């Protein structure tokens, strides 16, 4: 793991030298570091190398980037799968859940941040840790304080909810009590997380109590909730946090920092690409229109026409390649790039591949390019392009993820 760390720290130096916004902070096309360049490391001041707070900010950027890649991957999958297939409707549902979940988490984070937190309190978001045996677990929010750790599991499920025991599940019901949907019990999920975190802390040599809370971000009506279940609504979040930090201190303030640092150091960005949601052959891989998904016809290098919308796209290269890496494979051969973009030479393929932070493998005609997903998630060029596309995509679809111009799917409410 030495190499990604070097890259991460290097990016952070760019961030210190140029105090620009986080989204634009790292891996700009001209500033991309030469991978495997060890000399960068030795030039860094000692305080930069040792500061975990800086690592935390870098990790936050990568985590945000990873979330954007994930949303883009699902969004592209929907556009690139054939209509009226189960793979496509499942993917549409996953995209809706992803968007709703992210919005819910954001609301909870804002509520937590709005509390005046005492000194020696650390808020850690979306950290993924691993246990012995390769088990990984991801935590939405962990509030570290002298009174211990408060784990918050965010949920975004609206309507009328019932907690059911034996089997432990959460049921969404209508006014007459008829079951509309069934979900895994979030309280059971939370207690798994607590157990995992306790185990991780023990292995890392820390002793601190771990409390937990499930917070519903959209204030649903909750019927039948078991005695003492740690379930809260968004509007109760601030009190929940205040009560936690006011508990009797049991952890030394230095220990709070050490635990936060260890969590950040050990966190693995969640980048499970390529997504395995359908057979690669099911996806349209060619450049597609960002408005109507029609396959674009190449008129010239910088002129790709959508016959349906009668419009021209100038640079479909970057998004098309990204969709490939996120949905098909982590490598692409030079010949495949030539085929995707109707190119005649390997040189032309190389000039397109070199626009992304990819690793070149093989040589000459058998050359190929390999994606480094962490570098993609930290590239401002990639994230800017994705955000532009996502903005359009979110605007084109209603809250149920269905295109506004042909609402066929039944609404999930
Ligand atoms: Zn079009």
């Amino acid at each position: 793991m030495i190499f990604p760390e070097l890259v991460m720290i290097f990016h952070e130096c760019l961030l210190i030298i140029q105090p620009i916004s986080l989204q634009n902070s790292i891996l700009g096309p001209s500033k991309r570091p030469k991978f495997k360049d060890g000399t960068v490391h030795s030039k860094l001041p000692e305080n930069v190398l040792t500061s975990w707070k800086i690592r935390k900010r870098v990790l936050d950027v990568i985590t945000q980037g990873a979330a954007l890649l994930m949303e883009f991957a699902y969004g592209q999958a929907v556009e690139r799968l054939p209509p009226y297939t189960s793979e496509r409707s499942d993917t549409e549902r996953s995209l809706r859940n992803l968007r709703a979940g992210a919005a819910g988490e954001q609301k909870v984070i804002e509520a937590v941040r709005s509390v005046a937190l005492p000194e020696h309190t650390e808020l850690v978001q979306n950290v993924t840790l691993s246990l012995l045996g390769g088990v990984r677990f991801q935590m939405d929010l962990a509030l570290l304080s002298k009174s211990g750790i408060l784990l918050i599991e965010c949920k975004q499920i609206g309507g009328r909810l019932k907690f059911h025991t034996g089997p432990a599940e959460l049921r969404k019901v209508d006014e007459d009590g008829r079951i509309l949907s069934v979900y895994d019990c979030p309280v059971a999920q939370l207690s798994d997380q607590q157990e995992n975190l306790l185990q991780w802390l023990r292995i890392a040599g820390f002793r601190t109590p771990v409390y937990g809370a499930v917070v519903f971000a959209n204030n649903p009506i909750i019927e039948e909730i078991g005695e003492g279940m740690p379930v809260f609504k968004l509007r109760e979040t601030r009190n929940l946090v205040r009560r936690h930090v006011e508990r009797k201190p049991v952890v030394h303030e230095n220990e709070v920092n050490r635990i936060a640092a260890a969590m950040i150091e050990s966190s693995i960005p969640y980048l499970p690409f390529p997504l395995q949601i359908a057979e690669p052959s099911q996806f349209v891989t060619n450049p597609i229109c960002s408005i109507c998904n029609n396959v674009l016809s190449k008129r010239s290098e910088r002129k790709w026409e959508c016959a349906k919308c009668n419009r021209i796209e100038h640079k479909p290269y970057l998004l098309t390649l990204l969709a490939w890496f996120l949905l098909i494979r982590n490598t692409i051969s030079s010949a495949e790039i030539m085929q995707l973009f109707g190119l005649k030479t390997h040189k032309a393929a190389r000039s397109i591949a070199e626009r992304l932070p990819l690793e070149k493998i093989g040589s000459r005609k058998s050359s190929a390019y390999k994606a480094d997903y962490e570098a993609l998630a930290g590239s401002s060029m990639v994230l800017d392009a994705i955000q532009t596309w996502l903005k359009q995509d979110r605007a084109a679809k209603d809250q149920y993820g269905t295109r506004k111009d042909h609402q066929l799917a039944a609404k999930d409410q």
Side-chain angles (χ1 to χ4, degrees):
M1 274 302 281
I2 293 169
F3 154 60
E5 284 172 8
L6 297 188
V7 175
M8 281 164 78
I9 294 170
F10 177 79
H11 300 331
E12 184 53 31
C13 280
L14 294 179
L15 204 142
I16 297 167
I17 298 159
Q18 310 171 320
I20 39 181
S21 81
L22 275 186
Q23 284 299 352
N24 296 319
S25 61
I26 56 175
L27 271 176
S30 59
K31 301 188 185 70
R32 199 183 311 145
K34 292 268 179 274
F35 298 144
K36 294 172 186 149
D37 181 358
T39 57
V40 173
H41 182 256
S42 59
K43 286 180 191 156
L44 298 181
E46 192 60 29
N47 60 342
V48 171
L49 289 173
T50 52
S51 169
W52 70 271
K53 289 243 176 193
I54 288 176
R55 292 280 303 278
K56 180 171 187 279
R57 283 178 52 206
V58 177
L59 186 76
D60 283 346
V61 173
I62 302 271
T63 308
Q64 280 172 28
L68 286 173
L69 282 184
M70 187 67 91
E71 186 184 347
F72 176 75
Y74 276 102
Q76 283 282 317
V78 170
E79 309 298 283
R80 291 174 179 278
L81 282 168
Y84 315 113
T85 53
S86 61
E87 285 84 358
R88 173 144 165 179
S89 51
D90 288 349
T91 309
E92 277 176 339
R93 192 173 323 118
S94 303
L95 179 62
R96 280 198 301 270
N97 292 343
L98 193 80
R99 285 183 170 154
E105 204 174 297
Q106 196 49 42
K107 282 192 244 172
V108 176
I109 289 168
E110 279 163 21
V112 174
R113 288 227 171 101
S114 70
V115 176
L117 295 170
E119 248 193 303
H120 309 294
T121 311
E122 293 294 339
L123 187 62
V124 179
Q125 276 168 255
N126 286 314
V127 160
T128 303
L129 299 173
S130 62
L131 295 171
L132 297 175
V135 177
R136 287 185 178 187
F137 65 102
Q138 191 261 342
M139 298 171 291
D140 292 346
L141 264 184
L143 182 68
L144 281 63
S145 74
K146 289 192 281 184
S147 42
I149 299 176
L150 175 66
L151 264 189
I152 300 180
E153 180 78 14
C154 306
K155 288 288 160 201
Q156 172 90 8
I157 306 171
R160 200 174 279 270
L161 306 176
K162 258 185 188 178
F163 279 90
H164 187 263
T165 47
E169 59 190 26
L170 180 68
R171 294 175 173 177
K172 181 165 167 173
V173 296
D174 67 9
E175 289 190 1
D176 302 318
R178 278 182 298 234
I179 300 174
L180 301 173
S181 325
V182 176
Y183 304 89
D184 285 338
C185 176
V187 176
Q189 285 176 340
L190 174 73
S191 82
D192 281 349
Q193 300 283 53
Q194 278 175 275
E195 275 308 311
N196 286 335
L197 180 57
L198 278 169
Q199 195 183 335
W200 183 86
L201 288 163
R202 232 177 357 252
I203 295 166
F206 298 111
R207 276 173 64 125
T208 167
V210 175
Y211 302 91
V214 173
V215 174
F216 282 91
N218 47 353
N219 298 317
I221 302 160
I222 304 175
E223 301 176 347
E224 283 182 37
I225 179 160
E227 180 81 16
M229 269 190 169
V231 175
F232 302 85
K233 293 186 184 175
L234 182 65
R235 58 171 175 268
E236 298 170 302
T237 310
R238 291 164 56 88
N239 274 337
L240 169 77
V241 169
R242 281 193 204 105
R243 275 202 304 277
H244 174 71
V245 295
E246 282 163 9
R247 281 192 182 103
K248 189 169 165 262
V250 288
V251 182
H252 191 271
E253 57 195 45
N254 293 340
E255 192 79 343
V256 174
N257 277 345
R258 285 183 50 217
I259 298 171
M263 277 179 154
I264 297 300
E265 297 285 335
S266 317
S267 182
I268 316 142
Y270 184 61
L271 295 157
F273 301 117
L275 290 181
Q276 316 232 317
I277 46 184
E279 286 297 316
S281 61
Q282 284 182 273
F283 293 106
V284 172
T285 50
N286 299 75
I288 54 171
C289 172
S290 56
I291 304 293
C292 74
N293 334 328
N294 196 31
V295 172
L296 299 171
S297 310
K298 185 179 182 180
R299 298 285 173 244
S300 70
E301 292 307 317
R302 292 181 164 270
K303 227 174 166 185
W304 293 72
E305 191 180 349
C306 173
K308 223 166 159 184
C309 317
N310 224 352
R311 51 184 280 281
I312 300 288
E313 290 212 11
H314 300 287
K315 292 184 225 164
Y317 302 100
L318 194 133
L319 295 184
T320 308
L321 272 187
L322 280 174
W324 175 284
F325 289 123
L326 299 175
L327 301 173
I328 310 293
R329 239 190 292 129
N330 67 344
T331 57
I332 189 166
S333 69
S334 183
E336 283 166 332
I337 298 177
M338 287 161 69
Q339 192 274 328
L340 274 188
F341 301 114
L343 303 170
K344 293 193 178 68
T345 64
H346 288 279
K347 195 177 160 215
R350 190 179 68 212
S351 85
I352 286 174
E354 281 178 349
R355 295 177 202 176
L356 281 173
L358 304 174
E359 186 194 341
K360 191 161 185 268
I361 50 178
S363 60
R364 294 177 164 262
K365 284 183 180 164
S366 66
S367 64
Y369 302 88
K370 191 173 175 203
D372 172 342
Y373 294 108
E374 204 168 306
L376 291 178
S379 156
S380 59
M381 175 190 52
V382 166
L383 299 183
D384 285 349
I386 287 182
Q387 268 173 324
T388 307
W389 187 86
L390 284 174
K391 222 164 137 185
Q392 225 168 47
D393 191 58
R394 290 180 196 134
K397 288 175 181 151
D398 63 16
Q399 60 174 310
Y400 305 104
T402 313
R403 279 211 171 262
K404 283 174 179 165
D405 51 1
H406 53 96
Q407 293 183 5
L408 296 163
K411 293 187 173 182
D412 171 39
Q413 268 300 333

